């Protein structure tokens, strides 16, 4: 079983919909990252969380340390949000190494 | 430069050849990471440098893979006797050092796409 599991693997929605991507992990962590990867493009860091909630524009990320779960939400989704969203955790043990989820491919149709 | 720079952006080689991939991190970032991403997969950890030394090389798949960072800035990932299964995008990232109670945000390069024919 992977240490980091994301769901769904693929998500297609219409422009304007509220989007939720989930990430569950099975190890103790010091931080969790949400990353965005456009097709053929590099990876951009969206959020780095160790507790609570962060918001940036239409993006919101939450984490529940006790439940070992994080969610990434996108409000008023737009076709330009179409990308792969990746959850990655920084383990407490071996803290310099990020463990990545498989990613969620999001497609927003106009 | 302003961001993490990786060269070449694309490399096509033949099975059995030697390949070097270069990463130029953000100036002042002491931590440097190499990851490998196969099609449809999340990135897979290869090696982490803290300064000049490889602090964790547990992700290198076998002894054909080697990485150096001799002066604590630019790093080179070296692959000997390439195999078709080595085809992937090789990603480099850098950060300020994550210390106890402190996490370092990662900045990724655009990746080097390696194709082994």
């Amino acid at each position: 079983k992977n240490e980091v599991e994301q769901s769904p693997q693929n998500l297609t929605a219409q422009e304007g919909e509220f989007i939720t991507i989930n990430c569950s992990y099975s190890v103790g962590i010091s931080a969790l990252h949400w990353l965005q990867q456009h097709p053929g493009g590099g990876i951009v860091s969206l959020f780095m969380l160790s507790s609570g909630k962060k918001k940036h524009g239409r993006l919101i990320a939450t984490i529940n340390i006790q439940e070992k779960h994080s969610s990434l939400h996108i409000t008023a989704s737009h076709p330009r949000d179409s990308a792969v969203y990746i959850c990655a955790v920084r383990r407490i043990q071996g803290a310099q190494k990020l463990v990545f989820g498989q990613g969620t491919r999001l497609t927003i149709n106009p | 430069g302003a961001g993490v720079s990786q060269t070449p952006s694309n490399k096509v080689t033949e099975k059995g050849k030697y390949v070097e991939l270069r990463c130029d991190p953000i100036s002042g970032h002491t931590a440097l990471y190499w990851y490998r991403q196969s099609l449809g997969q999340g990135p897979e950890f290869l090696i982490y440098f803290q300064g000049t030394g490889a602090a964790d090389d547990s992700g290198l798949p076998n002894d054909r893979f080697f990485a150096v960072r001799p002066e604590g800035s630019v790093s080179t990932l070296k692959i000997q006797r390439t195999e078709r299964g080595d085809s992937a995008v090789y990603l480099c990232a850098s950060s300020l050092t994550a210390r106890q109670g402190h996490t370092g945000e990662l900045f990724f390069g655009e990746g080097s796409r390696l194709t082994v024919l």
Side-chain angles (χ1 to χ4, degrees), chain B residues 47-63:
Chain B
I47 187 169
Y48 156 65
F49 286 91
Q50 180 58 246
T52 60
D56 184 348
D57 64 358
S58 61
L60 294 177
N62 52 59
D63 62 7

Side-chain angles (χ1 to χ4, degrees), chain A:
Chain A
K1 188 180 188 299
N2 292 335
E3 291 179 344
V4 181
E5 296 275 356
Q6 285 185 238
S7 63
Q9 287 189 299
N10 290 282
L11 178 57
T12 300
Q14 290 301 120
E15 184 173 356
E17 286 189 37
F18 180 80
I19 302 299
T20 296
I21 299 171
N22 295 299
C23 175
S24 297
Y25 53 92
S26 58
V27 294
I29 68 168
S30 58
L32 181 143
H33 297 249
W34 279 103
L35 309 165
Q36 180 191 57
Q37 187 173 32
H38 281 282
I43 295 177
V44 173
S45 178
L46 297 175
F47 294 104
M48 188 172 58
L49 293 164
S50 54
S51 64
K53 176 178 169 177
K54 285 191 176 179
K55 184 175 190 293
H56 185 254
R58 294 180 294 106
L59 301 178
I60 303 165
T62 63
I63 187 168
N64 185 319
I65 296 291
Q66 286 73 30
E67 294 186 4
K68 292 188 163 62
H69 181 269
S70 175
S71 292
L72 176 69
H73 305 285
I74 306 174
T75 62
S77 59
H78 191 276
R80 66 173 173 266
D81 297 327
S82 298
V84 175
Y85 292 84
I86 303 172
C87 169
V89 301
R90 198 183 287 277
R91 284 189 192 147
I92 290 174
Q93 298 243 329
Q96 308 306 336
K97 181 167 85 178
L98 283 184
V99 179
F100 289 78
Q102 297 287 72
T104 295
R105 183 173 300 278
L106 174 66
T107 304
I108 304 295
N109 292 319

Side-chain angles (χ1 to χ4, degrees), chain B residues 54-99:
Chain B
D56 184 348
D57 64 358
S58 61
L60 294 177
N62 52 59
D63 62 7
R64 295 187 298 104
F65 287 74
F66 189 70
V68 295
R69 195 185 184 199
E71 295 177 3
S73 58
V74 172
S75 176
T76 305
L77 178 66
K78 308 180 182 201
I79 311 173
Q80 298 178 315
R81 305 183 303 280
T82 50
E83 299 178 357
R84 291 196 181 90
D86 299 335
S87 297
V89 175
Y90 289 81
L91 295 165
C92 176
S94 72
S95 76
L96 294 171
T97 299
R99 299 198 181 278

